Amino acid sequence: MDDHTMLNECFAQYIDIKKKTDEKRRELLGLQQRRDALLDLLVFVKGQRPLKYTEFETESTFPIVLGKAHSKFSLTSIGILPPEEYTSFYSPMYIYPIGYKIKRKYASPEKSDQKLTYFCQIRSVNGECVFEIRATGGKHWAGSRSQVWSAFTSEFQKISFSSLEEFFGLTNETTTKLIEEMGDISPFTTYVPMRQRARKIKKAKREEDL
């Protein structure tokens, strides 16, 4: 077999492998999109079920109002826990439920004395965690945690929230308890439950006092 023939065969094999790889990639993307659609359906069916946290045992529907003063917000859907392999949906400090939604009033980027309503939600897009903020008036921010928070805060000269999680109400203790009570959170191996964090803080404080 001469070099030219061998080169043609290798090229044909490369084209065939690339074609099969592209087909598998499209198939995987299709499966991922179908899974996201099923997760969206689960959010619709289960995301607004009655709460478990004892403080709200008598509540049967959302929204519920949480927080105080400027941090007050309405939790409109708690969402559902993400699959454990969706690692972008949890961190040591937070779990980001799929379909989680809140709304809050806050200053307009253009006029600090004017307030807008901001609708915040967490979505799954191809298995990745996507945060969205929509404001009355049409402004819209969407993307990863860092992308959204950077783009959103750049609109303001000064903002009174220290993180995206705070703006989304995820730092609220009641929100955290509700999320942790949605199901088994042990598969989220990097996440440290709020109770464990509180114990560590108390232990560290006792050691400082000694």
Side-chain angles (χ1 to χ4, degrees):
M1 183 183 296
D2 59 35
D3 291 345
H4 183 70
T5 304
M6 185 179 295
L7 183 62
N8 283 340
E9 286 190 3
C10 288
F11 184 71
Q13 288 176 6
Y14 166 76
I15 294 297
D16 185 53
I17 291 171
K18 186 177 185 304
K19 183 179 178 181
K20 289 179 179 177
T21 302
D22 289 342
E23 287 175 355
K24 290 295 181 184
R25 188 177 289 113
R26 285 193 294 270
E27 183 181 337
L28 183 61
L29 181 61
L31 289 171
Q32 190 73 68
Q33 289 172 342
R34 284 195 287 276
R35 183 171 190 175
D36 286 344
L38 288 171
L39 287 171
D40 285 342
L41 180 60
L42 275 173
V43 169
F44 178 76
V45 173
K46 298 175 66 178
Q48 297 191 17
R49 65 189 182 283
L51 305 178
K52 290 183 179 179
Y53 182 40
T54 53
E55 184 177 347
F56 299 103
E57 281 181 347
T58 58
E59 295 285 348
S60 59
T61 58
F62 287 85
I64 55 173
V65 178
L66 301 172
K68 297 178 181 179
H70 89 282
S71 66
K72 187 179 292 185
F73 64 96
S74 293
L75 176 61
T76 56
S77 175
I78 195 66
I80 60 172
L81 292 176
E84 63 181 283
E85 65 269 23
Y86 281 22
T87 55
S88 63
F89 283 86
Y90 55 93
S91 69
M93 290 286 290
Y94 302 103
I95 295 172
Y96 306 115
I98 299 171
Y100 174 89
K101 296 178 183 179
I102 71 142
K103 64 179 180 179
R104 69 161 72 247
K105 288 189 179 294
Y106 189 62
S108 165
E110 288 86 13
K111 298 178 181 179
S112 59
D113 59 339
Q114 178 185 344
K115 293 205 171 188
L116 301 178
T117 300
Y118 294 89
F119 300 87
C120 308
Q121 70 170 322
I122 300 171
R123 297 176 54 231
S124 172
V125 178
N126 297 329
E128 293 300 319
C129 187
V130 172
F131 296 85
E132 287 189 2
I133 303 173
R134 294 180 183 271
T136 49
K139 287 210 170 187
H140 175 223
W141 302 263
S144 68
R145 176 189 174 280
S146 58
Q147 288 171 339
V148 169
W149 192 238
S150 176
F152 181 68
T153 54
S154 68
E155 302 264 353
F156 297 82
Q157 289 187 345
K158 184 180 179 182
I159 190 165
S160 53
F161 293 89
S162 61
S163 66
L164 176 141
E165 286 83 5
E166 186 181 6
F167 192 77
F168 272 60
L170 291 162
T171 58
N172 181 275
E173 185 175 316
T174 299
T175 302
T176 302
K177 287 182 178 180
L178 292 173
I179 291 171
E180 290 185 351
E181 290 182 358
M182 282 199 291
D184 182 13
I185 60 172
S186 62
F188 308 135
T189 53
T190 59
Y191 177 71
V192 181
M194 183 171 61
R195 188 173 294 177
Q196 289 184 25
R197 278 180 267 144
R199 282 202 297 264
K200 287 181 180 179
I201 292 170
K202 286 180 181 178
K203 183 180 178 182
K205 191 173 181 181
R206 283 198 302 269
E207 289 174 351
E208 286 178 4
D209 293 339
L210 292 177

